[in-house]
Amino acid sequence: MDDINPSIRLIGMRLRDEFICPITYEILIDPVVIMDGHTYEKKAIDKWFANNGREGHRISPLSGEVLKSDITIPNHNLRHLIQDIIHEGGMGLYGLDASSLLRTIEIKRQKILTLTCLGPDESEWNSKQFLVRPSGVIGGRGNLVDAVMKGKEIIPFTDLEVSRRHFEIVLLPDYYDSKGYQEYGIKDLGSVGGTFMRLPIGTTLELNPDVIFLLGQHQFLVTSIEDDFNEYDVNQEDNKLIRNQIDESTQKLSDIRLIDNELDLKQNEIDPTSNNQSIHDNHKNKVLKITCSDPVGSLIRGKSYVIRSEGGTMGRKLTNTIAIYGEMKNPDGSITALTIDSAISSEHATIYLDNQTGKFHLIDGVNGRLSTNGVWWRL
């Protein structure tokens, strides 16, 4: 494609000091002010404080003075100024370099992603941000020195549920946005628990065999879609066979996907909650079967559920078509329903059958009311 994001050559100029982090010597993206009165890139100063403490005190990177606090205050005015200059072409970031009037530099705008941790609330990572630059990033729990040696950023998890090399975010060479920037893509690196993308509001996920989606902490595998349904106990199945299906699906669904343009997502053009839609005769006997595949130790792991052609809902509420709860048998023989996943909303998601295509689709929310934590699908 034509380069609609050309580079610019500047002669005898350099980045102005007020726009550079004194630690990284790069343009400030998330500038913060500390007790020494200077502005730094937040990620860089946080790392500096972590590695340069002395007897409980923090040291200024510029002056070497002992600071009373390591508090950081966002420099909103500088951040907005830099963003405005960049939107105007970026020339205002540079000034004359009297020490080297003949030096030529080449600048080119690049897309940088900002990742923000959304929870859980008790996590020390909650609200923490990570930058993804064109060199890419690898996230995992193991030793990622090789990634650093290759120039990639790392996101070093400590959560035991995260694999040693869990996911990678890279620029995709053949995908560009309307402004000419390459798109970023995310790839699962064969992790045990998988990598999930949140289903955007207003889109649906087409449910085909081997698709895995996540509600709260529970994963559900689409095990079959049948044209006819004979009455049988869906839970009297060989758990080993189900486990094999889950393992195989992990391998099949590990391709790179566009972050902003998932191929399996479809704009929701019909109201899945409407009761006025007639089911096409060719699809009226369609039945979707899903099986809870994780987490290990859940009371419903290995349990299967069915959704018929009229569709249904999923959530903690017992009135849902698929009510997600555990059971405890009381001494008198009665059953008590147990909440097993508080991250699942009372009415979390809707599954409906597309009359035209005969395909089942999953959408976040019930009757227009969205879930608290969203619906996620596994790469």
Side-chain angles (χ1 to χ4, degrees):
M1 63 172 291
D2 295 333
D3 189 357
I4 61 177
N5 180 32
S7 59
I8 300 174
R9 289 189 175 183
L10 302 177
I11 300 176
M13 303 184 75
R14 65 182 179 86
L15 281 170
R16 292 162 57 181
D17 291 338
E18 58 265 39
F19 300 136
I20 299 176
C21 172
I23 297 177
T24 65
Y25 296 100
E26 295 181 351
I27 295 177
L28 291 158
I29 296 175
D30 187 12
V32 294
V33 180
I34 67 171
M35 294 295 291
D36 66 359
H38 295 287
T39 298
Y40 302 85
E41 181 65 34
K42 186 177 188 326
K43 183 178 179 181
I45 193 61
D46 285 345
K47 184 176 180 180
W48 170 273
F49 281 152
N51 297 330
N52 293 276
R54 186 174 65 196
E55 297 180 357
H57 299 289
R58 303 305 184 196
I59 310 300
S60 165
L62 288 179
S63 66
E65 64 180 301
V66 177
L67 305 176
K68 295 180 179 180
S69 171
D70 61 359
I71 188 173
T72 60
I73 302 173
N75 193 334
H76 295 300
N77 289 336
L78 181 57
R79 180 175 184 173
H80 293 156
L81 174 60
I82 292 174
Q83 290 176 344
D84 289 343
I85 293 175
I86 291 176
H87 290 158
E88 294 170 357
M91 295 294 294
L93 297 173
Y94 296 83
L96 287 176
D97 184 2
S99 64
S100 183
L101 295 177
L102 298 179
R103 183 178 61 184
T104 300
I105 59 175
E106 186 176 51
I107 61 174
K108 189 170 185 177
R109 297 174 67 180
Q110 295 178 319
K111 179 184 285 188
I112 296 178
L113 293 182
T114 300
L115 307 180
T116 303
C117 179
L118 300 179
D121 293 338
E122 65 274 12
S123 172
E124 62 179 12
W125 275 25
N126 190 30
S127 299
K128 187 174 182 178
Q129 293 186 331
F130 301 89
L131 298 180
V132 181
R133 304 177 188 277
S135 57
V137 66
I138 290 181
R141 187 171 47 85
N143 188 337
L144 301 175
V145 174
D146 59 326
V148 176
M149 296 297 291
K150 294 178 181 178
K152 293 184 178 294
E153 298 281 343
I154 63 170
I155 301 180
F157 291 85
T158 57
D159 192 330
L160 294 179
E161 295 182 2
V162 176
S163 295
R164 294 187 178 280
R165 294 174 63 87
H166 201 106
F167 67 88
E168 181 178 14
I169 298 176
V170 297
L171 278 176
L172 302 179
D174 298 325
Y175 294 89
Y176 295 82
D177 64 16
S178 59
K179 296 182 179 180
Y181 298 123
Q182 284 181 262
E183 297 278 14
Y184 283 92
I186 184 168
K187 179 181 181 180
D188 185 85
L189 298 177
S191 66
V192 175
T195 300
F196 289 80
M197 299 286 291
R198 185 166 184 169
L199 193 64
I201 296 174
T203 60
T204 67
L205 176 66
E206 186 175 298
L207 297 178
N208 295 307
D210 292 335
V211 166
I212 297 177
F213 62 91
L214 177 76
L215 272 60
Q217 299 179 8
H218 282 73
Q219 298 182 30
F220 296 88
L221 167 71
V222 178
T223 48
S224 68
I225 300 175
E226 303 173 359
D227 290 324
D228 294 300
F229 184 75
N230 298 317
E231 295 294 338
Y232 65 93
D233 184 348
V234 295
N235 292 306
Q236 297 301 315
E237 299 226 4
D238 185 351
N239 284 331
K240 182 177 180 180
L241 176 60
I242 294 175
R243 191 70 253 171
N244 288 340
Q245 285 183 277
I246 295 170
D247 292 340
E248 290 174 4
S249 68
T250 300
Q251 298 301 320
K252 292 179 182 178
L253 301 174
S254 61
D255 296 331
I256 290 182
R257 303 295 180 91
L258 279 175
I259 285 182
D260 297 322
N261 185 28
E262 291 84 1
L263 301 180
D264 289 340
L265 301 182
K266 176 182 177 183
Q267 285 294 329
N268 182 28
E269 299 172 349
I270 63 175
D271 181 4
T273 63
S274 173
N275 294 321
N276 298 322
Q277 301 176 40
S278 59
I279 303 298
H280 194 285
D281 287 344
N282 293 336
H283 308 316
K284 66 180 181 180
N285 292 324
K286 285 267 188 180
V287 172
L288 170 77
K289 178 182 172 184
I290 63 175
T291 300
C292 178
S293 57
D294 272 303
V296 175
S298 171
L299 294 176
I300 63 171
R301 185 171 187 260
K303 185 175 182 178
S304 295
Y305 305 87
V306 295
I307 291 285
R308 301 177 185 277
S309 57
E310 58 268 24
T313 61
M314 299 181 68
R316 287 190 289 115
K317 202 172 181 179
L318 296 180
T319 54
N320 286 287
T321 313
I322 297 179
I324 303 171
Y325 65 94
E327 295 181 348
M328 181 179 70
K329 189 172 183 180
N330 299 315
D332 61 1
S334 61
I335 300 296
T336 298
L338 302 175
T339 298
I340 60 173
D341 192 341
S342 59
I344 296 177
S345 297
S346 295
E347 294 178 317
H348 200 111
T350 300
I351 296 176
Y352 71 96
L353 181 68
D354 187 320
N355 303 333
Q356 303 301 317
T357 64
K359 297 287 189 178
F360 283 97
H361 291 264
L362 175 71
I363 187 171
D364 183 17
V366 176
N367 294 325
R369 184 175 181 179
L370 299 176
S371 67
T372 301
N373 296 309
V375 174
W376 303 71
W377 59 285
R378 185 168 178 168
L379 296 181

